[in-house]
């Protein structure tokens, strides 16, 4: 199977995973917004934010390192898999010690559910780590199977505990834990990953530990920086505007996250292909072809979601949550810029330049947090949206220059700017200049499609002529 077909097959398998997890989350969204108050929804979202925030820090992003090194060094798979799992267990102990901090006001009342949060973190981190191991050892199908069954269990138990038993947030935590427990069992036993664990290997291959952590450690602050630029604003919103406003912002973020789910499908498959191909002679052509299709796909997807944002909000955002729909187009534009950053970030990882990756992300995070802090009081929730946008653009400018020195790929920056201009124009028309007929931004989208097709035509011909 050649590199293009391999990438497409992995994208398809990861798409099943996203369909089972991300799509299920959106299906459950009307349930959450119907039975939970905006404050409870804010706490629920805060638990997700905190888990995603502390996971890379307390685990020093060991999962990413394990994926990268197992692909390159199959001979020492047991060492990498065991070392990573040991770090996950240590991170659970660190979370246990830090539980009292959840009582702080910036966490919006999450401290009331601290023990449920601890269990949620433990099984969420275990299943996330084992999924990375599955990617590394080519158990891609198992990831989809795990996602489907764990999502079904999570959804079923959520309806029972929240809608039927009226357990509120406790019901949410129970359903979240049950889904992750099942995923853990599937990976460990159905996938027989327990066979990859060996305490003996930790002592026999100690010399490998230094390089593993040298690669992984910079990814921890890098992930934190990325997460700050996309989600840390919720802490500021909670502290300045209250947990109800945080809940509205979280609800508005769920719709752009549908696009993010599609991007993550590609990213999961792209990481594997990128790590496998980066040493080969034809790597620049391979990266260039994939980048061209990716850029067009992300831009058109963003435009469509902007045009449909009001309609999607009317379906997925019940009661007073609907009033936050005007945030969606701005967050979609922020997603588009971030999707470019993510693609280029994989190249930094393939080239083992994780320190440079970390620096670009942290600079963008500082811009995001500063902008949000300065504008939140005067502009309200929309200030947080602008903070995310400016942070992502900062990363794009800095990283875009650096990545050209790492790999001789034609990044088509003029075309990128054109597509970005189309998206910005649509955001302005949909959100800020509502007197313009809706047909105008729709017409812009049609023009964008035509330009994109013309841009891709030589790549399609080249792709077909290569026989790949």
């Amino acid at each position: 199977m050649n590199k293009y077909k391999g990438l497409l097959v992995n994208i398809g398998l990861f798409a099943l995973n996203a369909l089972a997890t991300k799509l299920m989350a959106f299906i459950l969204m009307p349930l959450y917004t119907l039975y939970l108050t905006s404050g409870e929804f804010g706490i629920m979202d805060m638990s997700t934010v905190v888990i995603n925030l502390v996971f890379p820090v307390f685990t020093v992003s060991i999962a990413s390192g394990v994926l990268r090194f197992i692909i390159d060094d199959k001979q020492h798979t047991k060492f990498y898999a065991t070392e990573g799992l040991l770090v996950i267990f240590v991170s659970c102990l660190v979370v246990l010690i830090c539980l009292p901090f959840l009582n702080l006001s910036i966490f919006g009342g999450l401290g009331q559910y601290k023990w449920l949060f601890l269990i949620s973190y433990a099984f969420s981190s275990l299943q996330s780590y084992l999924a990375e191991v599955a990617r590394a050892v080519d158990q891609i199908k198992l990831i989809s199977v795990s996602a489907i069954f764990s999502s079904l269990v999570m959804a079923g138990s959520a309806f029972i505990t929240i809608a039927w038993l009226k357990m509120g947030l406790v019901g949410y935590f129970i359903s979240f834990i049950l889904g992750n427990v099942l995923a853990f069992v599937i990976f460990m036993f159905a996938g027989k990953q327990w066979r990859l664990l060996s305490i003996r290997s930790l002592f026999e291959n100690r010399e490998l530990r230094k390089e593993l952590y040298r690669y992984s450690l910079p990814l921890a602050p890098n992930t934190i920086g990325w997460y700050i630029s996309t989600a840390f604003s919720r802490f500021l919103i909670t502290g300045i505007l209250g947990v109800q406003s945080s809940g509205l912002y979280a609800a508005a973020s769920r719709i752009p996250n549908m696009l993010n789910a599609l991007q993550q499908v590609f990213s999961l498959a792209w990481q594997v292909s990128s790590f496998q191909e980066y040493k080969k002679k034809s790597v620049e052509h391979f990266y260039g072809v994939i980048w061209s299709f990716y850029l067009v796909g992300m831009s058109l997807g963003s435009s469509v979601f902007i045009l449909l944002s009001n309609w999607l909000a009317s379906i997925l955002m019940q009661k007073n949550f609907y009033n936050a729909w005007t945030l969606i187009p701005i967050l979609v534009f922020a997603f588009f810029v971030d999707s470019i950053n993510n693609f280029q970030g994989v190249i930094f990882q393939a080239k083992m330049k994780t320190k440079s990756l970390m620096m670009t992300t942290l600079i963008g995070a500082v811009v995001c947090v500063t902008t949000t802090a300065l504008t939140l009081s005067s502009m309200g929730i929309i200030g947080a949206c602008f903070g995310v946008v400016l942070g992502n653009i900062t990363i794009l400018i800095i990283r875009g220059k650096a990545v050209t020195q790492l790999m001789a790929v034609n990044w088509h920056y003029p075309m990128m700017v054109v597509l970005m201009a189309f998206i910005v124009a649509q955001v302005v028309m949909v959100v800020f200049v509502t007197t313009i007929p809706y047909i105008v931004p729709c017409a812009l989208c049609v023009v964008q499609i035509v330009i994109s097709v013309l841009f891709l035509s030589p790549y399609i011909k080249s792709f077909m002529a290569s026989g790949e």
Side-chain angles (χ1 to χ4, degrees):
M1 181 180 294
N2 62 50
K3 53 194 173 185
Y4 292 104
K5 290 182 180 178
L7 177 60
L8 289 175
V9 169
N10 284 343
I11 288 176
L13 291 172
F14 284 121
L16 287 176
N17 175 51
L19 185 65
T21 54
K22 301 295 184 180
L23 183 58
M24 187 63 71
F26 294 114
I27 292 175
L28 289 173
M29 189 174 174
L31 172 74
Y32 296 147
T33 57
L34 184 61
Y35 287 94
L36 301 178
T37 65
S38 59
E40 289 175 327
F41 192 93
I43 295 175
M44 182 190 79
D45 186 74
M46 184 63 68
S47 70
T48 303
V49 169
V50 175
I51 288 176
N52 291 335
L53 190 62
V54 302
F55 175 71
V57 177
F58 293 166
T59 65
V60 295
S61 290
I62 196 67
S64 297
V66 168
L67 168 67
R68 181 68 180 83
F69 279 80
I70 288 180
I71 288 177
D72 251 7
D73 186 12
K74 298 288 186 183
Q75 181 181 352
H76 298 103
T77 295
K78 287 188 176 181
F79 166 76
Y80 296 121
T82 307
E83 180 75 12
L85 188 62
L86 180 62
V87 172
I88 298 298
F89 286 137
V90 172
S91 76
C92 293
L93 294 177
V94 176
V95 171
L96 174 63
I97 295 172
C98 295
L99 281 183
F101 288 103
L102 294 181
N103 292 322
L104 296 175
S105 60
I106 62 171
F107 295 106
L110 184 57
Q112 302 174 43
Y113 306 91
K114 60 171 68 77
W115 296 109
L116 287 170
F117 172 83
L118 174 63
I119 301 172
S120 297
Y121 171 83
F123 283 102
S124 174
S125 60
L126 283 170
Q127 75 85 17
S128 295
Y129 173 72
L130 295 181
E132 289 296 276
V133 174
R135 277 210 293 163
V137 298
D138 201 25
Q139 291 183 334
I140 309 299
K141 293 181 180 179
L142 185 66
I143 298 176
S144 299
V145 171
S146 170
I148 291 171
F149 284 101
S150 62
S151 295
L152 289 174
V153 168
M154 189 179 300
S157 56
F159 276 103
I160 293 173
T161 56
I162 297 176
W164 185 31
L165 298 179
K166 312 295 184 185
M167 297 177 68
L169 274 180
V170 174
Y172 163 76
F173 279 112
I174 291 175
S175 63
F176 183 81
I177 292 169
L178 289 177
N180 283 294
V181 167
L182 179 60
F184 168 78
V185 171
I186 290 174
F187 283 124
M188 188 62 75
F189 298 103
K192 299 181 180 179
Q193 289 193 13
W194 60 269
R195 292 182 177 179
L196 302 178
L197 305 179
S198 171
I199 299 298
R200 182 179 178 180
S201 68
L202 297 179
F203 298 97
E204 293 179 343
N205 302 284
R206 285 177 292 181
E207 71 280 0
L208 301 175
R209 188 170 287 117
K210 183 178 180 180
E211 288 301 316
L212 174 63
Y213 285 100
R214 180 180 294 175
Y215 176 89
S216 300
L217 281 171
L219 291 177
N222 174 70
T223 305
I224 289 302
W226 172 84
Y227 207 72
I228 286 175
S229 64
T230 57
F232 186 74
S233 49
R234 297 177 197 178
F235 289 105
L236 294 175
I237 293 173
T238 301
I240 297 175
L241 303 180
V243 71
Q244 288 79 15
S245 295
S246 178
L248 294 176
Y249 181 85
S253 300
R254 291 297 176 93
I255 292 177
N257 281 348
M258 295 173 68
L259 265 176
N260 189 50
L262 297 177
Q263 191 276 331
Q264 286 180 355
V265 167
F266 171 84
S267 182
L268 290 170
W270 172 239
Q271 269 191 322
V272 175
S273 294
S274 178
F275 295 162
Q276 291 172 340
E277 300 292 331
Y278 82 102
K279 292 181 179 180
K280 298 181 180 179
K281 290 184 178 180
S282 59
V283 63
E284 286 85 6
H285 175 72
F286 175 59
Y287 278 40
V289 171
I290 300 303
W291 162 247
S292 300
F293 283 93
Y294 176 85
L295 175 64
V296 168
M298 290 298 102
S299 66
L300 293 180
S302 298
S303 294
V304 170
F305 267 69
I306 289 171
L307 296 177
L308 299 178
S309 56
N310 195 333
W311 177 74
L312 290 172
S314 67
I315 296 175
L316 296 175
M317 299 168 65
Q318 304 297 315
K319 298 184 295 186
N320 63 318
F321 287 92
Y322 171 76
N323 295 328
W325 81 267
T326 54
L327 305 177
I328 297 172
I330 305 173
L331 292 174
V332 169
F333 174 66
F335 154 80
F336 173 66
V337 180
D338 185 60
S339 68
I340 298 173
N341 295 337
N342 286 338
F343 186 97
Q344 295 181 336
V346 173
I347 295 178
F348 282 84
Q349 290 179 275
K351 292 290 187 177
M352 297 286 190
K353 300 294 184 181
T354 53
K355 289 184 180 179
S356 299
L357 179 67
M358 174 190 69
M359 291 305 300
T360 59
T361 305
L362 291 180
I363 293 172
V366 171
V367 172
C368 172
V369 173
T370 302
T371 303
T372 301
L374 293 175
T375 60
L376 205 56
S377 297
S378 58
M379 299 178 64
I381 306 177
I382 201 170
C385 299
F386 283 119
V388 176
V389 169
L390 291 179
N392 288 344
I393 290 178
T394 301
I395 296 173
L396 174 63
I397 294 172
I398 301 174
R399 190 175 293 178
K401 181 179 180 180
V403 77
T404 57
Q405 301 173 356
L406 294 179
M407 186 168 291
V409 175
N410 187 348
W411 294 103
H412 301 290
Y413 287 123
M415 184 62 182
M416 184 193 304
V417 172
V418 170
L419 294 176
M420 196 174 295
F422 273 104
I423 297 174
V424 171
Q426 290 160 5
V427 171
V428 171
M429 292 179 185
V430 171
V431 177
F432 299 103
V433 189
T434 55
T435 55
I436 295 179
Y438 182 71
I439 191 65
V440 176
C442 291
L444 277 180
C445 185
V446 173
V447 175
Q448 182 181 349
I449 293 173
V450 173
I451 293 177
S452 298
V453 171
L454 294 175
F455 167 70
L456 287 179
S457 58
Y459 291 93
I460 296 174
K461 293 177 181 178
S462 175
F463 179 79
M464 296 177 64
S466 67
E468 298 178 299

